[in-house]
Amino acid sequence: VRGSLRRPRLAATMAPEVRVRRIAVLGCGRVGSAIARDLAEEFEVTVADRDEEALDRVARGAPVRGEVADLADPGEVRRLAQAADLVVGAVPGDMGFATLKAVLEVGRPVVDISFFDQDPFLLDELARDAGVTAVVDCGVAPGLSNLVLGREEATMDRVTRFLCYVGGLPVVRTWPYEYKAVFSPLDVIEEYTRPARYVAGGEVVTAPALSDVELIEVPGLGTLEAFNTDGLRTLLVTVDVPEMREKTLRYPGHAERMRLLRETGLFGKEPLLVNGVPVRPVDLTAELLLHHWRLRPGDEDLTVMRLVIEGVEDGRHVRRTYEMLDRYDRELGITSMARTTGYTCTAAVRAVAHGAYRRVGISPPEFLGREPACHELIVRHLAERGIHLAERTEPAG
Amino acid sequence: VRGSLRRPRLAATMAPEVRVRRIAVLGCGRVGSAIARDLAEEFEVTVADRDEEALDRVARGAPVRGEVADLADPGEVRRLAQAADLVVGAVPGDMGFATLKAVLEVGRPVVDISFFDQDPFLLDELARDAGVTAVVDCGVAPGLSNLVLGREEATMDRVTRFLCYVGGLPVVRTWPYEYKAVFSPLDVIEEYTRPARYVAGGEVVTAPALSDVELIEVPGLGTLEAFNTDGLRTLLVTVDVPEMREKTLRYPGHAERMRLLRETGLFGKEPLLVNGVPVRPVDLTAELLLHHWRLRPGDEDLTVMRLVIEGVEDGRHVRRTYEMLDRYDRELGITSMARTTGYTCTAAVRAVAHGAYRRVGISPPEFLGREPACHELIVRHLAERGIHLAERTEPAG
């Protein structure tokens, strides 16, 4: 199966140019609201959520229209999509697949950042039948990381190795976890539990999550640790690189602490009898970690990403390293996580809206990276918002 | 209140000599069975427990009579005590106080190692009215440690400082806890939660449990860590030493891991709603730790104790250090914990049975240490069983 999805790109169908005026942003969380605000500079934006307060907050800061809606209802999603020329999916992961499906059922182009568990290519036929572009996994990593790899794969003679180090971190480091999350602890625990798939010698192999801890130095920030997580997602099947690995970045010590909880059994999903009552350990643990991990309003965060791509370019072996260190936006009060995820998404929205990316069907960001004009538009869009990928190339053994 | 209990010793009443032939051992756990076996060399021993299998096991190895009995029933305890000349209390801590009370109600001398939470002096009047000796907390620490301090307090001009380092450890060190317990994890968690009382400048002060971690070297074993726990118990009121501290010994790293669990909220006693069901986090945690911490048959353990006593002796400041490193008894299959606890108890039983200790009322082991003949008998008894306290004295600043 690996690499088989590369072929369709040669025979890709292009969507007709559509004029995009009205955009529906589904979901008004931290990222959804940053997306709505950014898109409102150019489009007529409607943002939908169950949370009226969140809608009021974003409407106070930008000319967007809020609409209270239950996005768990596919009928509501279809109605909102039909009233728009393009849709952004920014719902929680467990609602993502159904939401994307409902949007495609009414034939609207869509850019999604819900990072749902299911294989997005299950919706490829639906998107093709509708003749629309559906960009998925369009955040930082997956997202920007895929875009960069797609670009290198299209321009190098061949790519031999891809390493992605990425993490969102709080500025203030509080013992013991030195970590804050904008997602549910259950999602983070899932990352620390699910075996990590990576590619070695052209084969997909697995390692336990939280394994192969190594220390890396980040200029201007200090030492972080990196460990295996299952983050390659679509890259496992869309690109043909024989060595690929994704690692999560945290402050040093985090992985061992999470392994301690995991090996103690605190991430267990099998109910345990506690005084005669069945309890899933992971539910209690997630409930407790919520208090420690919740990023509170005003808490500053940062996002670190390092991509290492080795390959043959003009007949020579090279190693190209991309480094990103993004920080909280104090002026707008937007987290770095929302900036890097949201602005990659709004960049892709513009690429689709302006006809720089017109491939029909499901497209993970590595497909967008293969189109030079689209890649350039996205990188420029991010740079205008202060998100830079510093790049250096050196000879590789 | 501190020190006030020293005075009664001057006016101590002595029990009449009684001939001890029959001993009832209440409780046939790891320690109770080691006690029964040891005492059977000299006395007629009846050991009582609810667990018939445990009774059969001990009866196979030694000439003791097992009796199935519900020791949670004070009537049963009184009946068993009445049929004996002396009683050993070796029930779980939460049953200890009621059991001791029932024994004293029928006026039998008793040596107790149940380490119950309640203040043992609440039973002093009952023991005095019955005219019997009741030795409590008679294990290693509290126990042997108190005996040694009592001895030094009686012989030095004055004691200025007492430090007790003590811990039971598995020989095989398994990540992450490197710890095994013969007691319920709930009891260990309680040690790691309850503020530690110690004495500084003559005053009782408290520190969080697991605090003031320091590393100590144990010859023949390696590096251990020591941290505050609330282990001084009766010494807080019975002796007049201006600096006293008790610390628990574990393999390095244990304290931080337990603090991680504690600070995460996993030792919490307030019910938390987990999917609508109230759960005490500590109950779930204890249930999970049971699998990691259970000392299984054949698992070898060791006991480490270091006592540092500073004071003025013959007009000179001295520091006297006692070191004990005791190991699992492979021949008899008796844990070091059962050896050190049980044999200190059987030594005290002999001191009472042979009239070397006759003080009426509640006696913690520091009272026994004040009687030279009693102290000598106990130390000799332990040495005969391979338990040695290596002693060295050096000048102190």
Side-chain angles (χ1 to χ4, degrees):
Chain A
V1 174
R2 290 210 56 238
S4 66
L5 278 152
R6 299 183 73 212
R7 250 168 285 138
R9 123 173 107 118
L10 303 175
T13 312
M14 293 299 147
E17 275 203 54
V18 285
R19 190 176 136 67
V20 172
R21 191 169 50 85
R22 300 162 305 166
I23 294 184
V25 177
L26 307 179
C28 192
R30 270 201 175 81
V31 184
S33 57
I35 289 170
R37 179 179 198 133
D38 191 56
L39 292 176
E41 292 174 13
E42 181 178 348
F43 305 97
E44 286 175 26
V45 174
T46 297
V47 55
D49 202 293
R50 213 172 40 180
D51 182 347
E52 212 169 328
E53 256 186 74
L55 295 173
D56 288 347
R57 249 194 321 271
V58 67
R60 276 197 298 274
V64 306
R65 200 175 69 79
E67 185 166 337
V68 178
D70 177 9
L71 301 173
D73 172 0
E76 283 281 88
V77 173
R78 282 191 293 265
R79 182 181 61 75
L80 289 157
Q82 254 164 340
D85 305 315
L86 185 148
V87 177
V88 170
V91 298
D94 57 357
M95 293 163 59
F97 189 82
T99 302
L100 180 57
K101 184 163 174 282
V103 171
L104 294 175
E105 279 165 357
V106 295
R108 289 298 182 274
V110 54
V111 179
D112 192 87
I113 55 138
S114 66
F115 309 116
F116 49 79
D117 276 344
Q118 297 91 332
D119 178 1
F121 291 110
L122 293 172
L123 297 175
D124 195 46
E125 202 179 323
L126 182 60
R128 285 169 177 274
D129 288 350
V132 295
T133 301
V135 181
V136 296
D137 284 358
C138 203
V140 189
L144 190 50
S145 55
N146 304 44
L147 184 97
V148 170
L149 178 58
R151 173 73 183 148
E152 294 292 358
E153 221 208 354
T155 54
M156 281 190 177
D157 304 343
R158 66 175 195 276
V159 175
T160 55
R161 191 176 158 88
F162 171 68
L163 296 176
C164 173
Y165 297 95
V166 65
L169 295 164
V171 170
V172 173
R173 299 167 61 162
T174 306
W175 187 90
Y177 300 107
E178 302 191 331
Y179 178 65
K180 298 275 175 179
V182 288
F183 351 93
S184 152
L186 277 175
D187 292 341
V188 181
I189 289 171
E190 180 65 23
E191 267 187 51
Y192 294 166
T193 310
R194 195 171 59 214
R197 287 167 297 174
Y198 61 100
V199 179
E203 300 293 325
V204 176
V205 291
T206 63
L210 299 173
S211 61
D212 296 336
V213 176
E214 60 179 313
L215 297 177
I216 75 162
E217 300 301 322
V218 178
L221 182 63
T223 307
L224 298 181
E225 70 178 11
F227 48 82
N228 291 326
T229 40
D230 188 44
L232 289 177
R233 297 172 58 101
T234 57
L235 296 177
L236 290 168
V237 295
T238 58
V239 299
D240 202 7
V241 178
E243 305 288 331
M244 287 199 289
R245 203 181 266 259
E246 191 259 9
K247 286 184 148 185
T248 289
L249 295 172
R250 297 284 185 259
Y251 291 118
H254 184 84
E256 167 146 354
R257 296 189 174 113
M258 299 317 297
R259 282 183 56 213
L260 171 72
L261 299 186
R262 186 181 72 189
E263 300 309 309
T264 298
L266 287 159
F267 296 168
K269 289 176 179 172
E270 284 303 309
L272 200 72
L273 283 184
V274 178
N275 298 329
V277 178
V279 180
R280 292 198 334 157
V282 70
D283 291 333
L284 176 83
T285 305
E287 187 66 32
L288 290 170
L289 288 177
L290 193 62
H291 299 280
H292 295 271
W293 287 2
R294 184 185 287 142
L295 196 70
R296 293 181 167 75
D299 282 355
E300 302 194 357
D301 69 327
L302 45 86
T303 309
V304 181
M305 183 165 73
R306 176 181 295 175
L307 306 175
V308 181
I309 297 169
E310 292 177 10
V312 179
E313 191 172 58
D314 304 326
R316 282 180 308 188
H317 284 273
V318 298
R319 176 185 304 115
R320 187 160 295 137
T321 304
Y322 293 86
E323 303 249 16
M324 182 191 85
L325 171 54
D326 184 68
R327 294 180 180 276
Y328 182 79
D329 180 341
R330 288 187 184 173
E331 196 186 321
L332 298 182
I334 297 181
T335 62
S336 172
M337 200 279 311
R339 282 171 47 77
T340 53
T341 305
Y343 298 156
T344 302
C345 172
T346 59
V349 166
R350 282 186 167 88
V352 173
H354 299 165
Y357 190 74
R358 290 169 48 210
R359 182 186 163 138
V360 160
I362 295 290
S363 289
E366 56 271 32
F367 289 8
L368 279 71
R370 290 168 184 164
E371 314 287 341
C374 173
H375 174 264
E376 199 195 318
L377 183 154
I378 292 176
V379 169
R380 197 177 55 237
H381 175 99
L382 288 171
E384 284 166 8
R385 281 153 187 80
I387 299 171
H388 302 277
L389 280 171
E391 181 187 336
R392 69 168 190 276
T393 306
E394 45 197 348
Chain B
V1 176
R2 290 212 54 236
S4 65
L5 278 152
R6 300 182 71 211
R7 250 169 282 137
R9 125 173 106 119
L10 302 173
T13 313
M14 293 300 149
E17 274 201 56
V18 284
R19 192 176 133 68
V20 173
R21 190 168 50 86
R22 301 161 305 166
I23 294 183
V25 177
L26 307 179
C28 192
R30 270 199 174 83
V31 184
S33 57
I35 289 170
R37 182 180 196 132
D38 191 56
L39 292 175
E41 292 174 10
E42 183 179 347
F43 304 98
E44 287 175 26
V45 174
T46 297
V47 55
D49 202 293
R50 214 172 38 179
D51 182 348
E52 214 170 327
E53 257 185 72
L55 295 173
D56 288 349
R57 249 193 323 269
V58 67
R60 277 197 299 274
V64 306
R65 200 175 69 79
E67 187 165 336
V68 178
D70 176 9
L71 301 173
D73 172 2
E76 284 281 87
V77 173
R78 282 191 292 265
R79 182 181 61 76
L80 288 157
Q82 254 164 339
D85 306 315
L86 185 148
V87 176
V88 170
V91 298
D94 58 357
M95 294 162 58
F97 189 82
T99 303
L100 179 57
K101 183 163 176 280
V103 171
L104 295 174
E105 280 164 357
V106 295
R108 290 297 182 276
V110 56
V111 179
D112 191 87
I113 55 137
S114 66
F115 309 117
F116 48 79
D117 276 345
Q118 297 91 333
D119 177 1
F121 291 110
L122 293 173
L123 298 174
D124 195 47
E125 201 177 326
L126 183 60
R128 286 169 177 275
D129 288 349
V132 295
T133 301
V135 181
V136 296
D137 284 358
C138 202
V140 189
L144 190 50
S145 55
N146 304 45
L147 184 98
V148 170
L149 177 58
R151 173 71 183 149
E152 293 292 358
E153 222 208 354
T155 54
M156 281 189 176
D157 303 342
R158 68 175 193 277
V159 175
T160 54
R161 190 174 159 88
F162 171 67
L163 296 176
C164 173
Y165 298 95
V166 65
L169 295 164
V171 170
V172 173
R173 297 167 62 162
T174 306
W175 188 89
Y177 301 107
E178 303 191 331
Y179 178 65
K180 299 274 177 181
V182 289
F183 351 92
S184 153
L186 277 175
D187 291 341
V188 181
I189 289 171
E190 179 65 26
E191 268 187 50
Y192 294 166
T193 311
R194 195 171 58 216
R197 288 168 297 174
Y198 62 99
V199 179
E203 301 292 325
V204 176
V205 291
T206 63
L210 299 173
S211 61
D212 295 337
V213 176
E214 60 179 315
L215 297 177
I216 76 162
E217 300 301 321
V218 178
L221 182 62
T223 307
L224 298 181
E225 70 179 12
F227 48 81
N228 290 327
T229 40
D230 188 46
L232 288 177
R233 295 172 61 100
T234 56
L235 296 176
L236 290 168
V237 294
T238 58
V239 300
D240 201 5
V241 177
E243 306 288 330
M244 287 199 289
R245 204 181 265 260
E246 191 260 8
K247 286 184 149 186
T248 289
L249 294 172
R250 297 284 185 259
Y251 292 117
H254 184 84
E256 167 145 354
R257 296 188 173 113
M258 300 316 298
R259 280 184 57 213
L260 170 72
L261 299 186
R262 187 182 70 189
E263 300 309 311
T264 298
L266 287 159
F267 295 168
K269 289 177 178 172
E270 284 303 309
L272 200 72
L273 283 185
V274 179
N275 298 328
V277 178
V279 181
R280 293 198 331 157
V282 70
D283 292 333
L284 176 85
T285 305
E287 187 68 32
L288 289 170
L289 288 177
L290 193 64
H291 299 280
H292 295 270
W293 287 3
R294 185 186 285 143
L295 196 70
R296 291 178 168 78
D299 281 355
E300 300 193 358
D301 69 325
L302 44 85
T303 310
V304 181
M305 184 166 74
R306 175 182 294 176
L307 305 175
V308 181
I309 297 168
E310 293 177 9
V312 179
E313 190 172 61
D314 302 329
R316 283 180 307 191
H317 284 273
V318 297
R319 175 185 304 115
R320 187 161 294 137
T321 305
Y322 293 86
E323 303 247 17
M324 182 191 85
L325 170 55
D326 184 69
R327 294 180 180 275
Y328 182 80
D329 180 340
R330 287 186 184 174
E331 196 186 323
L332 298 182
I334 297 180
T335 62
S336 171
M337 200 278 311
R339 282 169 48 75
T340 52
T341 305
Y343 298 157
T344 302
C345 172
T346 60
V349 168
R350 282 184 168 88
V352 173
H354 299 165
Y357 190 75
R358 289 170 49 212
R359 182 185 163 138
V360 161
I362 295 290
S363 289
E366 55 271 33
F367 290 7
L368 279 71
R370 291 166 182 164
E371 314 286 337
C374 172
H375 173 265
E376 199 195 320
L377 182 155
I378 291 176
V379 169
R380 197 176 57 237
H381 175 99
L382 288 170
E384 284 165 8
R385 282 152 186 81
I387 298 170
H388 303 278
L389 281 170
E391 181 185 335
R392 67 169 192 276
T393 306
E394 46 198 347

